[in-house]
Amino acid sequence: MKILVCITHVPDTTSKIQFTADNTKFDTTGVQFIIGPYDDYALARAVELRDQTGGKLTVLNVGEAETEPTLRKALAIGADEAIRVNTPPKDSFYVAKQIAHYAAEGNYDLILMGRESIDFNGGMVHGMVGELLGMPSFSPVMKLDLDGNSVTMAREIEGGKETLEASLPLIAGCQEPIAEWKIPNMRGIMSARTKPLNVVDAVEVATQAEASTYELPPAKGAVKLIDKDNVGELVKLLKNEAKVL
C-alpha cells in the first residue's frame, strides 16, 4: 500500500502573531513553526496503517526551503520519505493543484491530510484534490480502518456521527480522535537525517485568491463583575453589550 500524507507548515499556537508592511505580510520573526495539528493526527494514523499493511508512507509539503525542518520531523515520526514542492502555498486551489499533480504520478492508494490548516482554516484542499484526481474525499474523518481494499470511516456531522464505507483509493481530511499524536524518539530523530527528502518543481497554476491585508482580533475588554443577586443588570449587559441574548 502507498500512503501519501500532506502536511502544512504553520505557526505554533502559542506564537505571538504580528504583521508588517502595512499589515500585508505575516512577520515570521521569532515564530516557531510546527506540523499542523490536524495533519499530525493524519500522520499518526498513516504510520499505524503503514505498519499494519507493510506499505510505504510519503509526506508532502508545498513550501519553500524553510519548511524542511517540519518535513524532517515528519520523517522522525515515522514517514519513509518526504517531498517538498518548491513553491510558497499561495492559496487553497494552488496547493491542491500541486498535490494533485504529484499524487497522480505516484498512484497512491490513500491520501490523508488534516481537516484544515490552523493558519487560514480553509478546509478546502482535500475536496479540491479529490475533484482534481477523480477520487472520493471525506472530511472530517475521526476514525479510519482498513480491511483489504475496504475502508470504514466515522465522520463528524451536525448533531452526531456518521459511519461510512468506501473503497480505495480515497482522500480523507482527518481530526482527533483518529489517532494519538506521535512524539519522535531518539532513534526516529537520528534515522530522519538519512531518509530521502526530495525537492520537486511546482507546476504553473494561476492563483485564484490573494490576501490584501491582515488584522489582529480586537483586544479583550475589561471584565465586569456583577453581583450574584443583580440578575437584571446581568441580563441587560448580556443583551445590550455582549449581544448574546
Side-chain angles (χ1 to χ4, degrees):
M1 171 173 285
K2 297 180 66 177
I3 304 173
L4 178 67
V5 176
C6 306
I7 64 173
T8 53
H9 172 79
V10 296
D12 191 303
T13 53
T14 61
S15 296
K16 185 177 181 180
I17 303 302
Q18 299 290 342
F19 302 107
T20 61
D22 196 26
N23 290 331
T24 61
K25 292 184 179 180
F26 173 54
D27 185 2
T28 60
T29 304
V31 174
Q32 177 72 33
F33 284 84
I34 61 171
I35 299 173
Y38 293 117
D39 305 326
D40 247 335
Y41 287 115
L43 178 58
R45 185 60 183 136
V47 170
E48 295 171 349
L49 294 172
R50 186 275 318 277
D51 292 345
Q52 173 187 325
T53 62
K56 183 177 182 180
L57 170 55
T58 302
V59 289
L60 179 147
N61 170 257
V62 178
E64 297 180 294
E66 64 270 13
T67 72
E68 290 191 5
T70 300
L71 283 166
R72 288 289 178 196
K73 181 180 179 183
L75 291 171
I77 288 172
D80 300 306
E81 66 174 1
I83 302 296
R84 179 172 68 82
V85 182
N86 189 28
T87 182
K90 298 176 183 178
D91 63 31
S92 296
F93 182 72
Y94 184 87
V95 170
K97 286 284 283 187
Q98 305 303 327
I99 294 172
H101 177 77
Y102 179 81
E105 297 179 350
N107 195 29
Y108 290 95
D109 300 293
L110 181 63
I111 301 176
L112 302 181
M113 58 187 80
R115 60 175 286 182
E116 63 186 7
S117 64
I118 63 164
D119 46 8
F120 288 97
N121 300 96
M124 296 183 286
V125 172
H126 38 73
M128 290 179 176
V129 174
E131 180 67 21
L132 291 167
L133 292 177
M135 294 169 59
S137 175
F138 304 90
S139 183
V141 176
M142 307 167 63
K143 181 181 179 182
L144 190 151
D145 294 318
L146 294 179
D147 183 8
N149 201 48
S150 178
V151 185
T152 302
M153 293 167 284
R155 191 168 73 96
E156 188 174 52
I157 60 174
E158 185 175 354
K161 296 178 183 178
E162 179 180 52
T163 300
L164 301 168
E165 291 185 357
S167 298
L168 296 175
L170 61 80
I171 300 168
C174 305
Q175 71 168 48
E176 74 282 0
I178 194 168
E180 292 186 7
W181 283 348
K182 297 186 183 299
I183 299 173
N185 55 33
M186 184 55 65
R187 181 179 179 182
I189 293 170
M190 296 300 290
S191 67
R193 298 178 181 179
T194 58
K195 289 180 179 179
L197 194 165
N198 299 313
V199 179
V200 300
D201 293 330
V203 293
E204 193 70 28
V205 180
T207 55
Q208 303 294 310
E210 183 178 352
S212 56
T213 59
Y214 300 94
E215 63 180 69
L216 296 171
K220 292 182 179 180
V223 175
K224 292 185 178 181
L225 298 177
I226 309 299
D227 187 274
K228 63 182 179 64
D229 296 322
N230 194 353
V231 177
E233 179 67 12
L234 175 60
V235 171
K236 179 181 177 181
L237 291 172
L238 290 173
K239 182 177 181 180
N240 298 330
E241 293 193 16
K243 299 187 183 302
V244 294
L245 296 179

